């Protein structure tokens, strides 16, 4: 946002590109969870574009992003975030986009030293080179600390009016935002990506381990954001809705998974991922019963629905014990 | 003038916006598009996307966990 504003002040025409990897935080969770309903439902990229008065192009990169996440050349960050490869990928996509749409160069809001892995002085040339953008990649917020790029050398932008911000402190950016009159300065990078989340990353690793394959579909990515995930046995996992909104969302997946719900008492919607046996179904039903109103009953009715829609009801005793074994909870 | 309907049910934001963007690219100025969604976030995101890109929201309505936005394609 500040990078765009910096060059726009010089009369440069800027348009925004936002890449949707499937792991972006905004949007999804509020759509599902009641507890998030109080939070603003705005999409940050759209909001920023509107504040700046520029067009925004949202690009679906879900399929192409798989190869970045599954096999990152530069490895992962603190969690399953492949930030450096991700940036190289996105700048490369932006480079393709500008050449198809008649733009001259790319700007990003990167700052040297802001992020431990992907925003270091040594990563800046790597991103420029490996993305193929080379010197058509301008970082207006720290340009003065880097070699002049094509737009600076050609005089398309005045290097003197660019910045030399470094380090983790966001104070210079805050001051700049205030100078530009931008009140609700957008969320810092990283907080908008599920891959930087420890709990989400653990669920993703569990999924890959259980399937013995580092692959995923968009539906997998979505379902990892929903419900409590419990794996009582290596070959099947339960996704237990935590509230009505999640249950409604999960109902859309009943053709893809075996599902169960308690019919004698109020209880959550549950999806089963994997190949549970008849015995496993009984165990899953007794676990499900723990999360409903019948948790203290001697017996509850659990209706199990197969993917083809056929249903049967079994009677189970809710699983006893204070807590579920820790190793089951993902 | 063409009137089209886009089914964006079960998609979570920003996918309904992306699908709307892609559909609008195939339409002409003055054409109308009705987008039917289940993610309540579209009530903010699609109008914001329209404002940014010069399209007009003609109608928004909701009920029975569905959210419908009717827009008219702008000239830019
Ligand atoms: S935090 Fe940002 S750079 Fe890192 S993986 Fe997520 S989207 Fe990519």
């Amino acid at each position: 946002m500040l990078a765009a504003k910096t060059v726009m002040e010089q009369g440069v025409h800027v348009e925004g590109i936002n890449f949707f990897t499937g792991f972006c935080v905004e949007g999804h969770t509020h759509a599902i969870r009641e507890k998030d309903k109080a939070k603003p439902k705005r999409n940050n990229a759209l909001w920023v574009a509107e504040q700046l008065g520029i067009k925004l192009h949202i690009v679906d990169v879900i399929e192409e992003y798989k190869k970045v996440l599954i096999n990152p050349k530069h490895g992962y960050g603190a969690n399953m975030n492949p930030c450096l490869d991700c940036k190289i990928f996105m700048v490369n996509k932006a480079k393709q986009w500008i050449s198809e749409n008649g733009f001259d160069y790319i700007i990003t809001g990167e700052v040297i030293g802001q992020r431990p892995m992907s925003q270091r002085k040594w990563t800046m040339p790597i991103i420029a080179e490996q993305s193929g953008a080379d010197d058509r990649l301008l970082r207006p917020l720290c340009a003065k600390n880097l070699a002049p790029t094509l737009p600076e050398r050609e005089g398309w932008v005045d290097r003197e009016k660019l910045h030399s911000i470094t380090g983790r402190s966001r104070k210079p950016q805050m001051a700049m935002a205030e100078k530009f009159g931008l009140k609700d300065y957008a969320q810092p990078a990283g907080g908008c990506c599920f891959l930087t989340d420890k709990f989400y990353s653990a669920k993703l690793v569990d999924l890959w381990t259980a399937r013995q394959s580092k692959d995923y579909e968009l539906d997998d990515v979505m379902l990892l954001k929903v419900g409590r995930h419990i794996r009582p046995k290596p070959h099947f996992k339960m996704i237990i809705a935590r509230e009505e909104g999640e249950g409604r969302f999960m109902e859309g997946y009943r053709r893809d998974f075996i599902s169960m719900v308690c019919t004698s008492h109020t209880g959550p919607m549950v999806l089963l991922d994997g190949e549970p046996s008849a015995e496993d179904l009984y165990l899953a039903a007794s676990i499900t019963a723990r999360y409903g109103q019948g948790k203290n009953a001697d017996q509850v009715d659990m209706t199990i629905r197969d993917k083809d829609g056929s249903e049967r009801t079994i009677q189970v005793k809710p699983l006893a014990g204070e807590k579920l074994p820790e190793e089951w909870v993902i | 003038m063409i009137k089209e309907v886009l089914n964006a049910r079960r998609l979570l934001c920003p996918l309904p916006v992306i699908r709307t963007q892609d559909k609008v690219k195939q339409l002409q100025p003055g054409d109308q598009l009705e987008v039917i969604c289940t993610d309540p976030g579209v009530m903010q995101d699609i109008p914001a996307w329209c404002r940014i890109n010069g399209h007009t929201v003609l109608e928004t309505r909701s009920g029975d966990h569905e959210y419908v936005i009717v827009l008219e394609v702008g000239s830019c």
Side-chain angles (χ1 to χ4, degrees):
Chain A
M1 184 179 203
L2 299 174
K5 193 81 183 164
T6 300
V7 297
M8 285 169 75
E9 292 273 294
Q10 296 194 27
V12 176
H13 173 82
V14 177
E15 294 189 12
I17 312 187
N18 179 236
F19 295 106
F20 180 61
T21 61
F23 297 95
C24 310
V25 171
E26 56 202 355
H28 299 119
T29 42
H30 75 236
I32 306 167
R33 295 207 73 181
E34 303 287 328
K35 89 173 178 53
D36 293 328
K37 285 226 162 103
K39 291 189 189 157
K41 290 182 179 63
R42 74 177 189 212
N43 171 302
N44 257 333
L46 283 168
W47 180 82
V48 166
E50 198 168 12
Q51 298 305 302
L52 294 170
I54 62 172
K55 282 194 178 181
L56 177 74
H57 309 274
I58 309 179
V59 185
D60 171 351
V61 291
I62 297 165
E63 276 304 312
E64 290 166 272
Y65 193 71
K66 285 181 184 173
K67 64 178 188 304
V68 179
L69 175 59
I70 291 171
N71 199 7
K73 198 170 140 198
H74 299 281
Y76 299 101
N79 295 297
M80 291 306 286
N81 48 316
C83 291
L84 187 48
D85 289 84
C86 176
K87 289 214 167 112
I88 293 167
F89 167 77
M90 287 187 187
V91 173
N92 173 267
K93 293 297 295 178
K95 189 200 133 207
Q96 287 172 28
W97 193 92
I98 63 164
S99 57
E100 284 161 18
N101 291 276
F103 284 71
D104 298 311
Y105 58 99
I106 302 159
I107 63 168
T108 66
E110 289 163 291
V111 166
I112 297 170
Q114 185 107 82
R115 304 248 134 218
M117 175 177 165
S118 59
Q119 295 190 30
R120 305 277 288 273
K121 188 137 191 177
W122 64 269
T123 64
M124 297 280 167
I126 291 180
I127 296 171
E129 268 162 39
Q130 296 187 6
S131 65
D134 296 314
D135 62 356
R136 286 187 187 261
L137 173 60
L138 174 69
R139 285 97 164 194
L141 301 184
C142 60
K144 281 182 172 166
N145 297 320
L146 297 166
T149 56
L150 183 73
E152 293 160 280
R153 293 198 309 270
E154 292 290 322
W156 300 337
V157 285
D158 181 354
R159 181 171 167 94
E160 283 315 303
K161 291 188 183 142
L162 304 178
H163 305 286
S164 55
I165 305 175
T166 53
R168 295 196 71 118
S169 161
R170 288 191 181 262
K171 278 196 193 135
Q173 286 94 315
M174 295 293 182
M176 204 186 293
E178 207 175 312
K179 195 184 114 208
F180 287 141
L182 303 168
K183 282 191 202 73
D184 200 356
Y185 175 51
Q187 194 182 15
C192 53
C193 174
F194 267 110
L195 296 171
T196 60
D197 182 89
K198 189 168 103 189
F199 302 105
Y200 187 88
S201 293
K203 288 181 201 161
L204 182 62
V205 171
D206 167 79
L207 181 90
W208 285 346
T209 311
R211 293 193 184 162
Q212 296 176 349
S213 151
K214 268 178 118 183
D215 203 1
Y216 62 89
E217 295 303 326
L218 180 65
D219 282 336
D220 297 321
V221 170
M222 295 297 157
L223 284 169
L224 292 183
K225 298 172 186 174
V226 182
R228 250 178 261 282
H229 289 232
I230 293 170
R231 185 177 293 286
K233 300 243 179 100
H235 58 275
F236 85 97
K237 172 175 87 166
M238 304 171 64
I239 306 173
I240 305 177
R242 289 169 294 191
E243 56 188 48
E244 210 189 318
E246 286 192 336
R248 212 166 28 242
F249 177 74
M250 284 161 55
E251 267 175 28
Y253 288 91
R254 287 195 300 179
R255 272 195 219 126
D256 308 308
F257 296 90
I258 299 172
S259 58
M260 57 175 62
V261 70
C262 182
T263 36
S264 57
H265 300 76
T266 310
M269 163 85 193
V270 174
L271 298 178
L272 301 182
D273 182 21
E275 300 296 333
S277 64
E279 199 186 316
D280 295 333
L281 285 177
Y282 193 86
L283 172 64
S286 67
I287 295 171
T288 301
R290 280 174 71 99
Y291 292 95
Q293 302 267 312
K295 59 178 181 258
N296 297 320
D298 287 338
Q299 189 170 279
V300 303
D301 295 344
M302 198 63 67
T303 298
I304 301 169
R305 186 186 152 114
D306 281 320
K307 293 179 200 171
D308 64 7
S310 57
E311 289 186 346
R312 62 194 180 282
T313 300
I314 59 170
Q315 280 75 43
V316 290
K317 185 172 167 43
L319 191 75
E322 268 291 289
K323 275 168 98 183
L324 289 180
E326 234 164 66
E327 62 277 14
W328 289 7
V329 182
I330 310 165
Chain B
M1 194 261 297
I2 296 176
K3 224 176 160 180
E4 291 239 15
V5 177
L6 175 67
N7 178 358
R9 291 182 184 94
R10 281 189 61 200
L11 295 179
L12 300 178
C13 279
L15 282 171
V17 186
I18 297 175
R19 299 286 179 267
T20 302
Q21 172 187 271
D22 296 346
K23 189 78 206 170
V24 162
K25 270 192 203 140
Q26 302 163 9
L27 298 173
Q28 300 295 323
D31 289 349
Q32 291 185 8
L33 180 65
E34 177 171 316
V35 193
I36 308 170
C37 312
T38 45
D39 179 350
V42 298
M43 299 302 256
Q44 278 71 36
D45 290 359
I46 293 181
W49 179 83
C50 287
R51 286 195 298 275
I52 291 167
N53 293 288
H55 311 297
T56 312
V57 175
L58 300 177
E59 188 189 342
T60 56
R61 55 178 195 272
S62 61
D64 201 18
H65 301 299
E66 287 201 344
Y67 304 85
V68 180
I69 293 167
V70 184
L71 63 91
E72 185 179 291
V73 179
S75 52
C76 52

